[in-house]
Amino acid sequence: MAKITTQLFGELAILPRQAEAPIKETLEFLTDVMESYNGTEQRLQLRTKARQTFDYTVPLQAWHMAAAFNTEYGAIRKRWAVPIWTEAQYVGTVAQNAPTIACDTTNYDLRPQSLALLYAGCDKWQVVEIASVDTGEITLLGGVTGVVGAWLLPVRLGWISNTIDKPTNGHNGKSQLVFEIDDTAELTASVPPQYLSNDIYYESPLLSGDASDRSLEQRLDENDFDLGPVERRTTWANARFATPFRRVINGAAEMRAYKQFLYRRAGKFRAFWQPSFEVNMRPMNTGVIASTLVVQNDSYIDYASVRKNIAIQTMAGAWLLRTVSNPVQIDASRIQLTLSSALNINVANIARISYIGLHRFDADRIELNWIGNGVAESNVRILELTP
């Protein structure tokens, strides 16, 4: 609700009132997916840096309503300084004209030649300009007014998307607006463990309530002329297994790591291996398992012999990856499989045997729902492409 003039970016509008939870942050990649006749894919990454938006609802007291309206009315299509309320960190007392501010620069998006907001209350705020960022502190470009009990948060440059909604009762109200960010970060993640030349992850998605809404799908072509018989067939080599990948992220360090994971995935672009986290095979060996695995039949030979990649979780929580081959029916209830390499563990030390699938995100748009106190939820549907 103000106009600020900066050395770095000139004149900017700002709404320096704290947004209320929940806050919705969106990261949107862009992938061209070319699907072949048999269901295999070729994917092309079209956007290396995600587009980022923040959906804010800002409560306004009676004495802030006029300033908010005037600023929004005149600056709705101008460039804004956008406080990132989801990345606020407490920095305490900042001395008058202090050249630096001690803060966490590892897990928060504080950058050289950018802006930050010092916020100590509804009418106690100031925008500072960052000259450089070092481990544990930022160096300021100009002076700072002394403040006690301050929070520091990054400020990005952005624009208001579409309209501003302003519900009001005549005395107080809210501003509901979506900011599209110009200077989105481009995060680089380290390469995680690999399996068959693709990333592999072992963190299971959280349940929604007491279950996870998984589904199986496969292309269906129907020839039906309403005259009697119907012909049904599929051109896909394999069915696809879809899972909601739900996460709860707590704190700045976890969020930084999770965003690096999202950038590593780049929306639909980069595939990754993941266990199903279900009991897909029931071992029937006795004693130590070497290079052959005996499991319950469970119609594996009939319908699932294409699934050759498995992950064996031990009681200690470790995952052992193997491929299986040469299924042999021992009797009506058991089959024997040959392992790609010996396990050499006792069957009693196996917690579960899960299939591994090669997955990708089913959407380029990822939403982070900030529910308050530095905690966010994310739920992205992932799709298994290859067993």
Side-chain angles (χ1 to χ4, degrees):
M1 300 185 303
K3 180 173 73 174
I4 59 172
T5 302
T6 66
Q7 297 180 55
L8 293 173
F9 307 108
E11 207 173 87
L12 300 168
I14 189 171
L15 187 63
R17 303 286 174 254
Q18 186 174 359
E20 66 181 11
I23 293 171
K24 185 170 73 175
E25 178 184 355
T26 301
L27 296 172
E28 192 167 359
F29 296 89
L30 186 62
T31 309
D32 189 3
V33 180
M34 294 163 281
E35 185 180 289
S36 70
Y37 186 73
N38 66 0
T40 56
E41 291 181 351
Q42 182 178 350
R43 296 177 299 279
L44 181 64
Q45 183 181 8
L46 301 178
R47 190 182 293 161
T48 57
K49 186 167 69 171
R51 290 186 176 174
Q52 185 180 35
T53 63
F54 287 92
D55 192 339
Y56 284 162
T57 297
V58 182
L60 300 170
Q61 299 299 325
W63 54 93
H64 295 143
M65 294 283 289
F69 177 84
N70 292 337
T71 302
E72 292 163 353
Y73 179 83
I76 186 171
R77 291 296 171 256
K78 297 185 183 296
R79 203 179 197 192
W80 287 69
V82 184
I84 307 303
W85 294 104
T86 57
E87 293 196 33
Q89 59 173 305
Y90 187 71
V91 294
T93 299
V94 178
Q96 181 77 16
N97 294 322
T100 63
I101 299 176
C103 58
D104 179 355
T105 58
T106 302
N107 298 308
Y108 295 86
D109 190 16
L110 298 165
R111 308 179 202 166
Q113 303 299 302
S114 71
L115 307 177
L117 178 70
L118 277 173
Y119 184 85
C122 207
D123 295 308
K124 298 176 182 177
W125 61 271
Q126 57 185 305
V127 173
V128 296
E129 302 187 58
I130 303 174
S132 62
V133 177
D134 300 301
T135 303
E137 69 175 17
I138 58 173
T139 300
L140 303 181
L141 192 60
V144 60
T145 303
V147 62
V148 177
W151 293 77
L152 178 72
L153 49 152
V155 171
R156 302 270 69 87
L157 304 177
W159 305 84
I160 291 176
S161 171
N162 203 9
T163 62
I164 302 174
D165 294 325
K166 295 185 66 64
T168 181
N169 59 16
H171 300 285
N172 52 42
K174 297 180 178 181
S175 287
Q176 297 173 344
L177 63 174
V178 176
F179 285 109
E180 296 177 348
I181 303 303
D182 266 354
D183 51 345
T184 307
E186 186 171 352
L187 302 178
T188 303
S190 58
V191 178
Q194 300 284 292
Y195 177 68
L196 299 180
S197 301
N198 282 289
D199 302 349
I200 185 165
Y201 297 96
Y202 300 106
E203 186 165 356
S204 63
L206 299 178
L207 304 181
S208 297
D210 59 358
S212 181
D213 254 344
R214 292 181 159 179
S215 62
L216 278 169
E217 59 188 59
Q218 193 166 16
R219 177 177 174 142
L220 175 62
D221 295 333
E222 286 186 334
N223 293 325
D224 183 3
F225 301 101
D226 295 328
L227 299 176
V230 180
E231 180 186 4
R232 297 177 179 86
R233 68 190 183 104
T234 183
T235 58
W236 285 6
N238 302 300
R240 291 182 176 180
F241 187 46
T243 302
F245 189 74
R246 179 173 178 265
R247 290 281 304 275
V248 173
I249 306 103
N250 187 358
E254 284 190 20
M255 178 54 71
R256 193 72 168 179
Y258 185 64
K259 284 187 175 180
Q260 287 173 338
F261 163 72
L262 296 180
Y263 265 84
R264 177 71 182 168
R265 304 277 57 77
K268 298 178 182 179
F269 174 62
R270 185 172 284 112
F272 61 100
W273 292 98
Q274 188 180 60
S276 69
F277 303 103
E278 295 185 12
V279 178
N280 297 123
M281 288 183 171
R282 296 182 289 163
M284 300 295 290
N285 295 68
T286 57
V288 174
I289 301 174
S291 57
T292 57
L293 176 65
V294 178
V295 296
Q296 283 276 358
N297 184 8
D298 290 332
S299 298
Y300 175 83
I301 291 179
D302 297 329
Y303 294 112
S305 59
V306 69
R307 305 204 65 105
K308 300 184 183 299
N309 297 294
I310 63 171
I312 300 157
Q313 187 181 28
T314 68
M315 289 296 186
W319 289 92
L320 306 174
L321 308 179
R322 297 292 186 274
T323 57
V324 295
S325 59
N326 303 322
V328 177
Q329 189 87 40
I330 298 176
D331 53 37
S333 61
R334 297 182 302 159
I335 60 174
Q336 178 177 289
L337 301 164
T338 302
L339 298 171
S340 54
S341 61
L343 276 179
N344 297 325
I345 63 170
N346 196 294
V347 68
N349 291 328
I350 293 179
R352 58 182 164 182
I353 302 177
S354 300
Y355 293 142
I356 313 176
L358 187 65
H359 298 73
R360 67 161 169 82
F361 282 5
D362 196 29
D364 278 326
R365 178 185 173 91
I366 298 100
E367 292 184 357
L368 302 171
N369 187 38
W370 293 87
I371 59 180
N373 200 29
V375 178
E377 290 182 313
S378 174
N379 199 344
V380 187
R381 188 173 185 259
I382 61 175
L383 197 63
E384 183 192 76
L385 304 175
T386 304

